[in-house]
Amino acid sequence: MFLRLLSDVRWQATHPKWRRMTCSRRSTSSTAEPAPVPLPAEAQVVICGGGIMGTSVAYHLSKMGWKDVVLLEQGRLAAGTTRFSAGIVSTARHLSVELKMADYSNKLYQQLEQETGVSTGYVKTGSISLAQTQDRLISLKRIASSLNVMGIPCEIITPKQVAQLHPLINIHDLVGAMYVPEDALVSSANVSLALATAASRNGVQIHERTSVSHVSIQKGRVTGVETDRGQIKCQYFVNCAGQWAYELGHSGKEPVHIPLHACEHFYLLTHPLKEPLASNLPTIVDPDGRIYIRNWQGGILSGGFEKNPKPLFTEGRNQLEIQNLQEDWDHFEPLLSALLRRMPDLEALQIMQLVNCPESFTPDMRCIMGESPTVRGYFVLAGMNSAGISYGGGAGKYLAEWMVNGYPSENVWPLDLKRFGTLQSSRTFLRHRVMEVMPLMCDLKVPRWDFQTGRQLRTSPLYDRLDAQGARWMEKHGFERVKYFVPPGTDLLDLEQSKTFYKPDWFDIVGSEVKCCKEAVCVIDMSSFTKFEISSTGDEALENLQYLFSNDLDVPVGHVVHTGMLNEKGGYENDCSIARLSKRSFFMISPTDQQVHCWTWLKNRLPDDSNLTLEDVTWKYTALNLIGPRAVDVLSELSYAPMTPEHFPSLFCKEMSVGYANGIRVMSITHTGEPGFVLYIPIEYALHVYNEVMNMGQKYGIRNAGYYALRSLRIEKFFAFWGQDLDAFTTPMECGREFQVKLEKGTEFIGQEALLEQKQNGVYKRFTMFILEDHDTDTDLWPWWGEPIFRNGRYVGKTTSSAYSYTLERHVCLGFVHHFDEKTGEELVVTADFINNGDYAIDIAGQRFQAKAKLYPFSSLFTQRRRKDEEELSGYQRE
């Protein structure tokens, strides 16, 4: 039957009648067109791209009152990737911001036809995501928990219920499924046309058959757009060019790096069944089979994400409008086989067409939005990873808010263009990475998985030395970082292939590293952290940093200050440590993935003053973190200088000699709450200093450690990290960091007014620590991040990070608690009494575990535990 199906398809492709039908459809688009309307000489905003993204941005800008907008499309509206979209609107997303975008899109499309009069083909069908394994079912349960607390109906169902909802589905190999009844289908091109219609009515000018050649830039700002029909002066440019976004970004003298790459994406269309499928039949997503299936005009539309994708257009620009690319039945065969296994009754069904169209993918499977880090006024919305129609409405809304208000209404950092550096824009890197990304669309992603392509790009000078000692690596912002060190004799293959939502195989390895950090001394290579130097000939450096940071930086030379770089709402744009090296020089340490974002924030706000210098010195220094009570002994012997707290107090910085090397910046911080030091070493001395530290430390029990140990240590000490716990919507008042803010330091700073208001009126969320009480580490599912938090049975927030505390021998979760009025749903002030007087539970894949809430670090808990242990020990001795 399979061969007959293929023969049917090939007959259609070669039969004269089929060719005539195809030609007649194409000929209808070649009728004479009227002369184009002249382009305006100038506009406030020019948008390039008339697909779902460009029209959504235009629609939302016009809704927000920006009318002087021009949308340019090189072909016809919705004639690019949007035209070939499968039209599935799905809210089943792992990432919170993507879930919110999809939910907004669904609601927008539902009312768009009534608003515009343009048919969008919207049908609420629901969707069913199938699970062939227990791990897949756990993954779906985690998504279902997030959907339910967001108010999106969702339930985990049995295979029998799947058969009741979709009788054609073969359920013999299923263990369960997730049903989302409000997911929908649309005609993607019509949605785009409806958005364009509404935008046009609101004053947006739309010009088809107009190609943008490049964007004009002066002094780092957008000034205009050059097209094949003339120039348009503008203040803002929005690159919604889809698969062409990368090339358009590189077309000008000042390139804007937009890391995306196209792959071929296949799906087939069939003739209607003998009994045509109902239009409201649920869409099927079978990730273990790598396919999706939806109703299409009584037949089906089915595509997927194969294991061996085919990148295309690596060498450059392609045709103006996307045509159906060449059929490749051999390549599609695994997906076709998966379809026939899932719906065996379709074997005799005739296929109408195999569609092959380009789809853009990004290096981390998340879309790209935001302002360019190098050009002010240049915004980007592209790289949808085959989810453009699901994200289109919400993504357009967030970008429009960003442009009009200066910031979107949600935390979009996971999607921000500035999460990438120029290193991710290599065409070779992108080609190789998207060949990994496309299969990952369906692969099971357990916690702490890592990309395998594009690795060993940025490495510490110690990489080979650490690798030879058993380092297992992960990647952050292109930088290789150690997860943990595998002891000799361990089965590396089993460890690397261990993927689970439960207790991981590295549990005991990390536990031994944590134990060493607490009892002896460990070394962690933290070279990936972002490092800047800010200096001036006069007082300019101090004056500007005092305005940009919330803490008081006018401290004695040699002191280190923990501080936040806040926005006007008081939210964290960066969380960092700053050492005052001299009266006019400062050394700033920030999280690894802050390199581009932090640089851009500072450059855009520091004056253009020749007396003021900002330098990125990340690559100049290797950072070694010496953690543990014996770190002071190791460093004292290596430097021949006393390192005790009396001589080297906490949060202090001093240049020292270590071994034969001079100019080592030593800081008495560890980022974990444990005693120790961080050594910032000029890279040419890195290997020497590391060898000296390891040799001297042998008698103190020194060993290497990785970031998993650091994570456990910092979470049990209630330390928040930017990008995980802190973001642009979190203020110091909300996360217990009031002590890092000097409201009365004698000079104004960004965010001061918002913090003063919070101090007076209270906060609407509070950073809280949760200790799981009835959780079995060995047999229960582990919390990782994003788990719903319940107080007295009501949803109050989500966890932001979690780790096992080897000290308390329990899991610890960090997250934010909100307070909602039970009747009105209004958000209320969160007080300490509200936190302390509730009964809490953490939802892990649908199972709730009791938790104890804390608003203060663990130090007091450690003291209580030690006292208890001492009492028990003395009791045993008495016996």
Side-chain angles (χ1 to χ4, degrees), residues 230-244:
Q231 183 189 56
I232 305 176
K233 294 180 180 179
C234 63
Q235 298 169 291
Y236 299 91
F237 175 75
V238 188
N239 185 338
C240 295
Q243 62 168 322
W244 294 284

Side-chain angles (χ1 to χ4, degrees), residues 548-707:
L548 291 172
F549 293 90
S550 59
N551 210 338
D552 189 358
L553 298 179
D554 193 5
V555 295
V557 171
H559 283 243
V560 180
V561 177
H562 288 314
T563 183
M565 186 170 72
L566 311 180
N567 54 40
E568 287 74 9
K569 298 172 296 175
Y572 280 96
E573 293 296 334
N574 183 21
D575 176 49
C576 59
S577 301
I578 299 180
R580 191 168 194 179
L581 302 179
S582 69
K583 188 176 180 181
R584 299 183 176 90
S585 178
F586 297 83
F587 185 52
M588 175 178 167
I589 303 100
S590 304
T592 302
D593 53 3
Q594 270 278 351
Q595 189 169 15
V596 176
H597 175 70
C598 185
W599 176 269
T600 304
W601 184 271
L602 290 172
K603 287 292 287 184
N604 289 343
R605 286 158 182 79
L606 289 172
D608 187 10
D609 187 341
S610 59
N611 296 321
L612 186 64
T613 303
L614 171 66
E615 183 182 3
D616 186 345
V617 295
T618 300
W619 62 275
K620 287 187 176 182
Y621 293 94
T622 295
L624 291 183
N625 196 349
L626 271 65
I627 304 176
R630 307 313 298 266
V632 62
D633 301 307
V634 174
L635 209 51
S636 292
E637 293 200 42
L638 279 174
S639 62
Y640 293 98
M643 302 298 294
T644 59
E646 295 78 23
H647 298 91
F648 208 109
S650 178
L651 296 178
F652 194 71
C653 175
K654 185 179 180 181
E655 282 203 356
M656 302 176 63
S657 296
V658 178
Y660 297 150
N662 290 320
I664 312 300
R665 292 176 182 171
V666 180
M667 296 188 192
S668 49
I669 57 175
T670 63
H671 307 285
T672 63
E674 300 296 329
F677 306 88
V678 179
L679 282 59
Y680 290 94
I681 310 160
I683 57 171
E684 62 267 31
Y685 301 145
L687 191 57
H688 167 75
V689 172
Y690 172 78
N691 289 336
E692 290 290 299
V693 167
M694 295 303 289
N695 291 334
M696 183 62 69
Q698 291 303 314
K699 60 184 175 182
Y700 299 110
I702 198 168
R703 66 175 291 172
N704 293 299
Y707 275 82

